[in-house]
Amino acid sequence: DQQVKQNSPSLSVQEGRISILNCDYTNSMFDYFLWYKKYPAEGPTFLISISSIKDKNEDGRFTVFLNKSAKHLSLHIVPSQPGDSAVYFCAAFDKAAGNKLTFGGGTRVLVKP
Amino acid sequence: NAGVMQNPRHLVRRRGQEARLRCSPMKGHSHVYWYRQLPEEGLKFMVYLQKENIIDESGMPKERFSAEFPKEGPSILRIQQVVRGDSAAYFCASTFGSNYGYTFGSGTRLTVV
């Protein structure tokens, strides 16, 4: 039972354009949603999060949007830079179910110069 | 302490041998989590520990796998009698308290030959 899904395994975008990564979830009890960025041979690094009571959070070039009724969130990166090329994981946190993150399968982003 | 330290970075074991993976959390962090990433998949929760206690091991296989976080020293994930299917990247994360603010280590890549 995959509670968090990233249906696009890969995304290719031109430098300077917008990257949009999507994530769907099934568990309405999730309290927080997070995006992690992962380079090869490294651990995931935290990028941005959003509380379930918000619908938008912005941090520099990164914006996360949450649509609770659709159980959908997205990460916008604008403008995209070559250093953004990495695998991006969506994750969700349900405090009542224990302090663990449930991850999506990841989306590999390639930003072409 | 630069962050969560995992060692070894790479570990090769023959089928039937034991694998021991170590994780030293960030200074001041008393909560440790282990996740496993199989090739081309997202991270899957394995176990959540606090000092000397296993809080949640719902993601651990019932056999051959065990974890500990002693009063002194690093957390250890132990896999006995490894099989080829255990080949994966194992990531450790730590938090200060029971929240979603994970810091991940760089992982241990286990290869079973």
Side-chain angles (χ1 to χ4, degrees), chain A residues 2 32 34 36 38-46 49 89 93 95 97-106 108, chain B residues 9 31 33 35 37 40-45 48 50 56 58 91 97-107 109:
Chain A
Q2 254 190 300
Y32 284 92
L34 305 91
Y36 283 85
K38 186 182 179 303
Y39 292 118
E42 293 185 14
T45 54
F46 170 76
S49 66
F89 290 99
F93 180 82
K95 187 172 176 65
N99 298 333
K100 56 188 178 224
L101 291 176
T102 303
F103 282 85
R108 186 178 303 274
Chain B
R9 290 295 304 271
H31 299 239
Y33 312 79
Y35 285 75
Q37 185 185 22
E40 304 303 319
E41 293 188 15
L43 284 75
K44 296 286 196 292
F45 169 79
Y48 163 35
Q50 293 179 29
D56 181 352
S58 59
F91 292 97
S98 54
N99 59 66
Y100 63 89
Y102 283 34
T103 301
F104 280 91
S106 295
R109 273 138 196 91

Side-chain angles (χ1 to χ4, degrees), chain B:
Chain B
N1 187 346
V4 178
M5 305 301 291
Q6 289 189 250
N7 65 82
R9 290 295 304 271
H10 300 274
L11 182 61
V12 179
R13 284 287 177 267
R14 294 187 184 279
R15 280 178 295 171
Q17 290 184 320
E18 178 180 288
R20 280 186 180 236
L21 289 64
R22 286 176 291 277
C23 169
S24 296
M26 281 189 71
K27 187 174 182 179
H29 285 191
S30 59
H31 299 239
V32 165
Y33 312 79
W34 286 92
Y35 285 75
R36 174 165 68 173
Q37 185 185 22
L38 295 171
E40 304 303 319
E41 293 188 15
L43 284 75
K44 296 286 196 292
F45 169 79
M46 299 183 75
V47 62
Y48 163 35
L49 310 104
Q50 293 179 29
K51 285 284 187 182
E52 301 183 276
N53 286 306
I54 296 174
I55 307 301
D56 181 352
E57 56 181 348
S58 59
M60 288 274 271
K62 296 288 182 249
E63 297 176 350
R64 302 188 297 109
F65 285 71
S66 62
E68 63 176 3
F69 187 17
K71 188 176 180 181
E72 301 290 338
S75 174
I76 305 287
L77 179 66
R78 183 179 175 211
I79 311 172
Q80 295 177 290
Q81 299 174 328
V82 295
V83 300
R84 288 234 171 96
D86 297 333
S87 295
Y90 291 82
F91 292 97
C92 169
S94 71
T95 60
F96 173 71
S98 54
N99 59 66
Y100 63 89
Y102 283 34
T103 301
F104 280 91
S106 295
T108 293
R109 273 138 196 91
L110 172 66
T111 302
V112 179
V113 297

